[in-house]
């Protein structure tokens, strides 16, 4: 019998722990940059050479000694936090926690060379060849039996920018890096927010410094902005078309913003299938993409919004690890995370209604599922806004700050009532005309006289305008009668005081209807009266039309 026993880990555990968990090149770069951050680097230089199919990630961090490389980097599960320290020498909050993120580096290339050196120290490192690692896994070798290949020391020439640091050299990059370099630059600008905590931390891609200017396109299409706890961000300076900015205060230590664009297509990153979403960051690192999937609303607003929410309490050094093994998600039933989601749900519900109000006020279609206004009023305002844009063309006169914009906004509000009211007049009066023809009601002398009066006026106006063609589709006298005359033909009360009828309502309806027909803006009292009287007319009209339906059957 043995005196002592110990674990003997098969290399196949590398696949289970994470070599195949990482889905895209941005995640891989994220793991490398996180290591650079934890190593107190000030600069990370990423070089992507698609012609020769390699990628370098070089930093000027503290680097590793021979012992560090063997006992820390190559030790799967090693965490810098095991000593109880949660911050680097520069006071940066550590990103690494489980000690398995380094396995991401094996997921995008056939060979990975890791080279590192400390100031005045020797170059250390090794080469991981994935094909040979696969063979070792097939042969069921233990971790102690697999030995890394020696590094290519000529790669030391790449340390031209720093006397210390770490270089990751990826050879024969896999299909996962077929993204355009332009996309990678935008993704880094969008998802790598370490500079919020240390503005001396810089990332370069093919010698170009990455900053918020790479997000200028989406910023330029941003329409509304909601800040949380007075959050400020350089990307805001590129929001040249911003129309509304609001701040929400939260008792939680959440910082960030939610913004909406003019069209859903503005959220697509060109040349990719990627869509910009509302994302959660912890200590500057992306931890949850598309946070709204935890609080779905099935409202159209979700297709227009993006943003960044920062909640560092999820990893403040005192809480337990809440991140999944892939490091791309948070364990959903974590109390702190639940508290965060509840607060974002509260804020987003306010944004839902506000977004609809602001969209309609600024001449765009809003959220049809918002029941604050009737569907009829919403459709009227949409028709008004569409027509206004057609009139405006490319002049942008209605979208400029000033009197013209104020006039247009005021008319947009009135359109919610005026356009449906005109439509109600149009429908009800023409249905009455058809009813009169169907049941054979003869026009009274008074009705004939009114029709002839309007016919003569139209004829005189046509002569002045030098028009010789017919304007109306039908010149029957009934088509020249208004609601008052039509109603009295169909449903004239014998007792105007006691007997309800269309005729009685039409008498009160007429002066207000005439104002609407002449595109005048009417008072609140007139709106209320018009609505009440049309309700009576509609109810009586439906009774009459049901009789026609019965006779058809």
């Amino acid at each position: 019998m043995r005196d002592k026993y110990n674990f003997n880990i098969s290399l196949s555990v590398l696949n289970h722990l994470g070599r195949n968990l990482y889905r895209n090149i941005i995640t891989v770069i994220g793991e490398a940059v996180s290591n650079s951050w934890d190593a107190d680097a000030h600069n990370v230089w990423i070089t992507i050479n698609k012609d020769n199919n390699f990628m370098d990630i070089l930093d000027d961090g503290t680097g590793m000694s021979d012992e560090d490389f063997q006992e820390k980097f190559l030790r799967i599960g090693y965490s810098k936090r095991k000593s109880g320290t949660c911050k680097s020498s520069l006071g940066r909050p550590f990103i690494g926690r489980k000690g398995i993120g380094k396995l991401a580096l094996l997921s995008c290339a056939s060979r990975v060379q890791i080279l590192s050196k400390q100031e005045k120290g020797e170059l250390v490192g090794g080469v991981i060849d994935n094909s040979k690692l696969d063979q070792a896994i097939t042969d069921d070798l233990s971790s102690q039996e697999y030995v890394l290949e020696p590094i290519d020391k000529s790669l030391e020439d790449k340390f031209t920018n720093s006397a210390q640091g770490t270089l990751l050299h990826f050879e024969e990059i896999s299909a996962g890096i077929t993204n355009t370099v332009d996309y990678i630059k935008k993704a880094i600008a969008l998802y790598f927010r370490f500079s919020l905590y240390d503005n001396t931390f810089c990332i370069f891609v093919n010698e170009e410094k990455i900053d918020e200017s790479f997000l200028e396109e989406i910023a330029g299409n941003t329409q509304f902005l909601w800040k949380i706890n007075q959050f400020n961000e350089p990307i805001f300076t590129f929001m040249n078309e911003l129309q509304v900015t609001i701040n929400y205060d939260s008792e939680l230590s959440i910082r960030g913003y939610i913004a909406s664009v003019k069209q859903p297509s503005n959220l697509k990153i060109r040349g990719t299938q990627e869509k910009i979403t509302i994302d959660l960051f912890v200590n500057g690192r992306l931890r949850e993409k598309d946070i709204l999937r935890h609080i779905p609303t099935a409202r159209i607003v979700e297709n227009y919004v993006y943003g960044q929410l920062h909640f560092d309490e999820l990893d403040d050094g005192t809480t337990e690890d809440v991140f999944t093994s892939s490091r791309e998600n948070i364990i959903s039933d974590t109390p702190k995370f639940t508290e965060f989601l509840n607060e974002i749900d509260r804020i987003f519900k306010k944004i839902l209604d506000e977004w609809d109000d602001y969209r309609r006020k600024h001449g765009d279609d809003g959220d049809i599922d918002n029941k604050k206004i009737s569907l009829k009023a919403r459709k009227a305002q949409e028709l008004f806004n569409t027509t206004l844009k057609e009139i405006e063309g490319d002049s942008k006169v209605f979208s400029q700050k000033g009197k013209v914009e104020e006039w247009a906004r005021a008319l947009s509000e009135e359109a919610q009532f005026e356009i449906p009211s005109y439509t109600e007049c149009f429908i009800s009066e023409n249905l009455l005309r058809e009813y009169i023809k169907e049941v054979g009601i003869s026009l009274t002398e008074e009705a004939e006289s009114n029709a002839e009066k309007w016919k003569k006026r139209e004829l005189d106006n046509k002569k002045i305008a030098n028009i010789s063609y017919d304007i109306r589709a039908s010149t029957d006298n009934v088509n020249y009668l208004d609601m008052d005359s039509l109603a009295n033909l169909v449903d004239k009360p014998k007792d105007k005081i006691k007997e309800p009828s269309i005729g009685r309502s039409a008498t009160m309806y007429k002066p207000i209807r005439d104002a609407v027909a002449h595109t005048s803006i009417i008072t609140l009292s007139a709106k209320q009266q018009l609505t009440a009287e049309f309700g009576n007319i509609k109810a009586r009209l439906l009774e009459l039309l049901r009789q026609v339906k019965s006779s058809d059957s």
Side-chain angles (χ1 to χ4, degrees):
M1 178 182 289
R2 298 172 186 244
D3 293 331
K4 295 182 179 179
Y5 297 89
N6 62 280
F7 284 108
N8 189 356
I9 305 296
S10 169
L11 286 175
S12 62
V13 77
L14 299 183
N15 288 339
H16 302 308
L17 283 177
R19 192 163 67 127
N20 298 320
L21 285 179
Y22 297 87
R23 298 174 298 195
N24 57 57
I25 189 60
I26 297 304
T27 305
V28 173
I29 293 175
E31 288 295 342
V33 171
S34 294
N35 288 340
S36 300
W37 168 266
D38 287 351
D40 281 339
H42 289 293
N43 299 284
V44 180
W45 297 275
I46 301 169
T47 302
I48 299 169
N49 188 318
K50 302 194 83 168
D51 293 334
N52 295 315
N53 203 23
F54 75 80
M55 176 174 70
D56 287 338
I57 302 179
L58 171 67
D59 69 44
D60 59 358
T62 54
M64 291 182 281
S65 66
D66 182 74
E67 184 179 358
D68 290 337
F69 183 64
Q70 176 60 56
E71 300 300 328
K72 296 179 180 178
F73 186 86
L74 292 179
R75 185 179 174 188
I76 306 305
Y78 171 80
S79 173
K80 294 176 280 288
R81 305 186 191 209
K82 287 184 178 180
S83 64
T85 303
C86 296
K87 292 186 177 182
S88 71
S89 297
L90 293 180
R92 295 172 177 174
F94 280 145
I95 298 299
R97 188 148 192 169
K98 283 185 170 67
I100 62 173
K102 65 199 73 174
L103 296 178
L105 308 178
L106 308 180
S107 66
C108 72
S110 295
R111 283 167 52 89
V112 182
Q113 296 206 45
I114 304 103
L115 299 86
S116 189
K117 63 178 182 177
Q118 296 181 327
E119 189 173 11
K120 298 180 181 179
E122 293 184 359
L123 189 68
V124 301
V127 179
I128 302 173
D129 187 314
N130 268 311
S131 63
K132 293 180 179 179
L133 181 58
D134 286 338
Q135 185 59 51
I137 291 172
T138 301
D139 295 340
D140 199 25
L141 297 184
S142 69
S143 57
Q144 288 85 358
E145 294 174 296
Y146 177 77
V147 179
L148 272 62
E149 297 177 30
I151 55 175
D152 178 357
K153 292 204 173 183
S154 68
L155 291 174
E156 187 173 8
D157 293 341
K158 292 180 180 284
F159 285 87
T160 54
N161 292 312
S162 175
Q164 62 182 32
T166 299
L167 169 67
L168 304 173
H169 179 70
F170 299 86
E171 302 171 15
E172 297 178 30
I173 298 166
S174 59
I177 198 173
T178 55
N179 311 82
T180 64
V181 174
D182 181 56
Y183 161 70
I184 291 173
K185 289 177 180 178
K186 286 181 179 178
I188 290 174
L190 189 64
Y191 300 133
F192 292 29
R193 309 304 298 122
F194 302 101
S195 58
L196 290 174
Y197 300 85
D198 187 342
N199 57 19
T200 67
F201 186 76
C202 303
I203 302 174
F204 300 82
V205 175
N206 288 2
E207 301 183 352
E208 189 170 13
K209 183 179 177 181
I210 306 302
D211 58 27
E212 286 76 10
S213 64
F214 285 92
L215 306 177
E216 191 169 353
E217 185 176 354
I218 184 173
N221 285 307
T222 299
Q223 192 173 24
F224 311 129
L225 174 65
W226 291 267
K227 298 180 180 181
I228 300 175
N229 285 332
Q230 303 294 339
F231 183 74
N232 216 352
E233 161 76 283
I235 190 177
F236 298 163
T237 61
F238 297 101
M239 294 180 177
N240 300 321
E241 300 294 322
L242 197 62
Q243 294 171 321
V244 176
T245 301
I246 298 170
N247 182 72
Y248 280 135
D249 291 324
S250 171
E251 292 183 1
L252 292 185
S253 57
I254 300 172
R255 301 172 301 122
Y257 69 93
I258 295 174
S260 70
V261 291
K262 297 173 184 176
Q263 299 295 334
S265 58
N266 298 142
L267 294 179
K268 298 287 181 65
I269 300 179
R270 272 188 294 175
T272 75
Q273 298 299 313
E274 289 280 325
K275 174 190 170 186
I276 301 173
T277 54
I278 299 175
D279 306 322
L280 170 61
F281 293 75
V282 180
N283 291 328
R285 175 168 174 173
L286 176 66
R287 289 301 192 181
E288 275 272 0
K289 198 168 182 335
D290 191 13
I291 203 69
L292 289 186
R293 64 192 175 86
H294 292 283
I295 48 173
T297 65
R299 297 276 287 272
I300 192 173
V301 188
E302 291 185 28
N303 298 317
Y304 288 80
V305 293
Y306 74 98
Q308 296 187 355
L309 304 171
H310 299 262
F311 191 47
D312 297 340
E313 283 189 22
L314 286 171
D315 188 15
D316 61 2
T318 62
T319 56
E320 63 182 25
D321 191 358
V322 299
F323 306 112
T324 61
S325 295
S326 69
R327 323 306 289 152
E328 295 178 312
N329 298 106
I330 297 171
I331 299 169
S332 58
D333 59 354
T334 302
K336 267 291 180 195
F337 187 47
T338 302
E339 187 180 16
F340 164 81
L341 289 177
N342 289 338
E343 179 67 352
I344 296 305
D345 184 41
R346 179 188 72 83
I347 291 172
F348 195 65
K349 281 176 179 173
K350 290 184 178 180
I351 291 174
L352 286 173
D353 288 344
E354 290 180 346
W355 181 84
D356 180 49
D357 290 339
Y358 292 135
R359 285 279 292 186
R360 290 185 291 104
K361 285 178 182 177
H362 288 85
D364 295 300
D365 294 351
D367 180 7
I368 197 169
D369 292 323
N370 186 357
K371 306 304 181 186
K372 285 177 62 178
I373 66 170
S374 69
L375 181 60
K376 187 167 61 174
R378 181 179 297 281
K379 291 298 181 183
Q381 198 169 37
E382 288 177 3
L383 175 60
F384 172 88
N385 291 334
T386 300
T387 306
L388 191 69
K389 287 179 180 178
E390 191 174 287
I391 293 171
E392 181 183 33
D394 296 327
S395 67
K396 303 296 182 187
V397 66
F398 296 124
S399 58
Q400 295 171 356
K401 300 294 182 185
K403 286 187 177 180
V404 177
E405 184 198 23
E406 290 177 13
W407 297 341
R409 284 193 188 182
L411 288 175
S412 176
E413 291 296 315
E414 291 297 329
Q416 293 182 43
F417 183 87
E418 302 279 341
I419 292 176
S421 295
Y422 172 79
T423 306
E424 290 164 354
C425 294
F426 173 81
I427 292 172
S428 57
E429 291 182 16
N430 277 292
L431 284 176
L432 276 175
R433 291 182 183 113
E434 293 301 323
Y435 176 80
I436 289 167
K437 295 175 190 176
E438 177 68 23
V439 300
I441 298 175
S442 299
L443 270 62
T444 62
E445 284 187 25
E446 182 183 6
E448 293 282 8
S449 175
N450 283 337
E452 290 298 331
K453 178 182 71 174
W454 289 111
K455 263 189 179 181
K456 183 177 183 307
R457 181 175 294 184
E458 181 181 90
L459 183 61
D460 291 342
N461 289 334
K462 284 173 62 178
K463 288 177 181 178
I464 294 170
N466 194 28
I467 293 175
S468 57
Y469 53 82
D470 288 335
I471 295 175
R472 297 178 189 243
S474 172
T475 55
D476 291 346
N477 278 1
V478 71
N479 291 303
Y480 286 84
L481 299 179
D482 62 11
M483 174 61 81
D484 193 29
S485 298
L486 292 169
N488 282 311
L489 276 175
V490 172
D491 197 30
K492 186 174 183 177
K494 293 177 182 178
D495 187 335
K496 288 188 176 182
I497 297 176
K498 295 181 179 180
E499 187 179 342
S501 68
I502 294 180
R504 181 180 167 191
S505 292
T507 300
M508 302 179 71
Y509 184 80
K510 177 177 171 50
I512 310 173
R513 172 265 188 208
D514 289 347
V516 171
H518 287 89
T519 68
S520 297
I521 296 173
I522 62 176
T523 64
L524 177 59
S525 297
K527 289 177 183 177
Q528 293 169 341
Q529 186 69 38
L530 189 67
T531 301
E533 296 304 336
F534 181 72
N536 293 330
I537 291 171
K538 181 173 69 173
R540 182 67 179 137
L541 177 60
L542 289 173
E543 284 184 30
L544 295 172
L545 294 177
R546 273 192 284 269
Q547 295 173 17
V548 174
K549 185 178 179 182
S550 298
S551 64
D552 288 343
S553 59

